[in-house]
Amino acid sequence: AFDLELPGFIERALGVPGTLALLVLDLDEFKPVNDTLGHAEGDAVLAGVGRLLRQGVRKTDLPCRFGGDEFLVVLADVDESRATARAETLRAAVEAMPQPGGGLRVTATLGGTLYRPGESADDFLRRADEALNVAKRAGRNRLGWS
């Protein structure tokens, strides 16, 4: 869905620069859930995060599972302040969701950026991913912004 829908989001944003944001959300310490509690519990965690993302964004936004324990959220018609506020809300919602048990705690680290007119979709995603990596190196369960 992300690959199919992103070009339309970018096209609509070209008329108003600085109004399209991309968030990359990666679950922290997710592998131990699968390894310790099993894949069924891991799938339940992923489904719960998916529900949180759908409930935590507007109908005009696009939440997607990108693979494994990584999700992408395209936010339309937002400025940086609104995008970072939405990212923090999503991060806090993951932190507050029911935990899988076994003493394991799943949180989320996010990276985000605003679209720059003229850049490719790959560059847009790369910058958001770089912001995610900076946040992970800074300690996880936080937002990095580019």
Side-chain angles (χ1 to χ4, degrees):
F2 176 77
D3 291 337
L4 293 174
E5 298 289 335
L6 184 61
F9 276 90
I10 289 174
E11 187 173 313
R12 287 186 296 277
L14 290 177
V16 188
T19 61
L20 182 66
L22 177 61
L23 306 176
V24 180
L25 181 150
D26 187 69
L27 297 180
D28 302 324
E29 307 302 330
F30 179 73
K31 186 175 178 351
V33 174
N34 281 336
D35 291 350
T36 304
L37 302 176
H39 289 278
E41 186 64 32
D43 289 349
V45 170
L46 294 172
V49 171
R51 280 189 300 279
L52 286 175
L53 294 180
R54 280 192 310 276
Q55 294 167 356
V57 299
R58 302 162 300 171
K59 290 182 181 187
T60 56
D61 299 328
L62 179 66
C64 301
R65 183 169 173 209
F66 195 57
D69 62 345
E70 194 165 80
F71 296 81
L72 301 175
V73 181
V74 180
L75 301 172
D77 301 317
V78 294
D79 59 14
E80 185 174 335
S81 175
R82 288 177 50 200
T84 57
R86 175 66 52 204
E88 281 294 339
T89 298
L90 295 173
R91 185 204 58 73
V94 172
E95 185 176 30
M97 68 185 254
Q99 294 298 315
L104 300 174
R105 183 136 188 88
V106 176
T107 57
T109 300
L110 291 86
T113 192
L114 290 178
Y115 178 74
R116 296 176 183 166
E119 78 179 334
S120 69
D122 288 340
D123 287 341
F124 188 30
L125 178 57
R126 179 190 49 77
R127 286 189 310 102
D129 199 48
E130 287 172 358
L132 170 69
N133 289 328
V134 168
K136 284 182 176 183
R137 286 191 299 271
R140 300 183 187 263
N141 194 25
R142 64 190 65 224
L143 170 65
W145 193 262
S146 167

